[in-house]
Amino acid sequence: MNKRRLVVANWKMYIDSPESARRFATALRKKSRLYKGVDVVLAPAFPLLAVVAEKLKGSVIRLGAQTISEFEDAPHTGDVSAAMLKHAGVSFVIVGHSERRAQNETDAAVHAQLERALLGGLSAILCVGEKERDVAGSHFSLIESQLAVLKNLPHKAVSKIIVAYEPVWAIGKTSAEAMKGSDLREMSIFIKKTLAEQFDRVAALKVPILYGGSVEPGNAHSLMAEGDINGFLVGHASAEIDQFLDILKAIR
Ligand code: 13P
């Protein structure tokens, strides 16, 4: 395991108060020697970005956002633009999460969000993942079509893209129900092959691939060791400091 590892905490709405966000960020900072060599990003909900940014000042832990507007500026009530995120200290943004796709976020919207993120100087974590699997392997063509949102982006943008493979059927369960490392390996190879067809091959192979879907301390090590991935996008276990630290320790 000598490649750079990246773990992104997608807090969703699990951490929902400034006090708990501050407590988490402070505790994580204090324990940084436990996860040396692992890059960590915290992605709180919008109202908590400022308090987390404050607590992370001067640390190597980076700030992420859970989504971004597909528009550049006004008038879009309720949206948050790339420039606003940048001002808030954000450097990573999650796009196309399945929980947002379930609220009618289309591939076209995801493509526009990607463009906004990249033009705004942010790194974009593109989520892809099938709802279910069948023996015919239709999940592969679905992933291929979700990755097609990367087409027509400038080739040099590829260095700011991270792909998070999150099978919807494995989200919000337990580690026992999550994907197995060997199945994950097959998918990460497929994703790399698909990216290599779209971009310059050498650059495409450098795109980090994360796995998300019930990553817990119990399965983190085997997913990392067998899955041919660069890290994780963690949901529920990223909101519990002890579990999150155990995941980081398991893969350092
Ligand atoms: P869980 O880790 O809760 O399954 O969530 C995964 C996820 O959706 C991260 O973006």
Side-chain angles (χ1 to χ4, degrees), residues 69-71 107-117:
S69 177
E70 63 185 278
F71 304 105
D107 278 335
V110 174
H111 177 81
Q113 290 176 356
L114 271 170
E115 269 186 340
R116 287 287 146 225

Side-chain angles (χ1 to χ4, degrees), residues 11 15 18-32 35 42 51-57 59 61 241 245:
W11 283 353
I15 291 189
E19 296 72 33
S20 7
R22 277 195 203 100
R23 212 178 311 123
F24 190 109
T26 307
L28 187 66
R29 263 191 95 153
K30 275 198 188 132
K31 304 273 173 150
S32 61
Y35 50 89
L42 295 184
V51 294
V52 177
E54 180 63 31
K55 284 289 164 198
L56 296 184
K57 240 183 222 159
S59 94
I61 304 164
I241 186 68
L245 280 169

Side-chain angles (χ1 to χ4, degrees), residues 134-235:
D134 57 32
V135 280
S138 62
H139 45 281
F140 287 110
S141 42
L142 180 94
I143 300 303
E144 196 171 2
S145 74
Q146 290 180 332
L147 288 171
V149 298
L150 295 170
K151 277 189 187 146
N152 305 324
L153 289 177
H155 269 225
K156 66 177 197 292
V158 73
S159 65
K160 301 282 258 178
I161 289 165
I162 294 147
V163 171
Y165 171 61
E166 298 205 305
V168 181
W169 52 266
I171 292 179
K173 306 266 174 59
T174 63
S175 52
E177 297 158 285
M179 185 167 225
K180 300 288 167 273
S182 47
D183 293 336
L184 177 56
R185 187 181 183 81
E186 185 187 31
M187 184 52 88
S188 42
I189 291 169
F190 178 77
I191 291 172
K192 278 184 204 158
K193 185 179 135 286
T194 309
L195 293 177
E197 283 160 9
Q198 279 184 32
F199 293 104
D200 159 54
R201 197 181 160 74
V202 177
L205 289 177
K206 285 191 189 143
V207 174
I209 298 178
L210 309 183
Y211 167 77
S214 302
V215 177
E216 293 182 343
N219 58 354
H221 181 78
S222 62
L223 284 166
M224 190 71 199
E226 297 162 21
D228 197 13
I229 50 169
N230 301 83
F232 301 122
L233 180 54
V234 188

Side-chain angles (χ1 to χ4, degrees), residues 1 3 22 55 58 81 87 104 130 143 146 151 167 177 227 231 238 247 251:
M1 267 202 270
K3 55 188 173 194
R22 277 195 203 100
K55 284 289 164 198
S81 70
H87 287 312
N104 295 328
E130 76 281 1
I143 300 303
Q146 290 180 332
K151 277 189 187 146
E177 297 158 285
S238 76
I247 290 172
I251 64 157

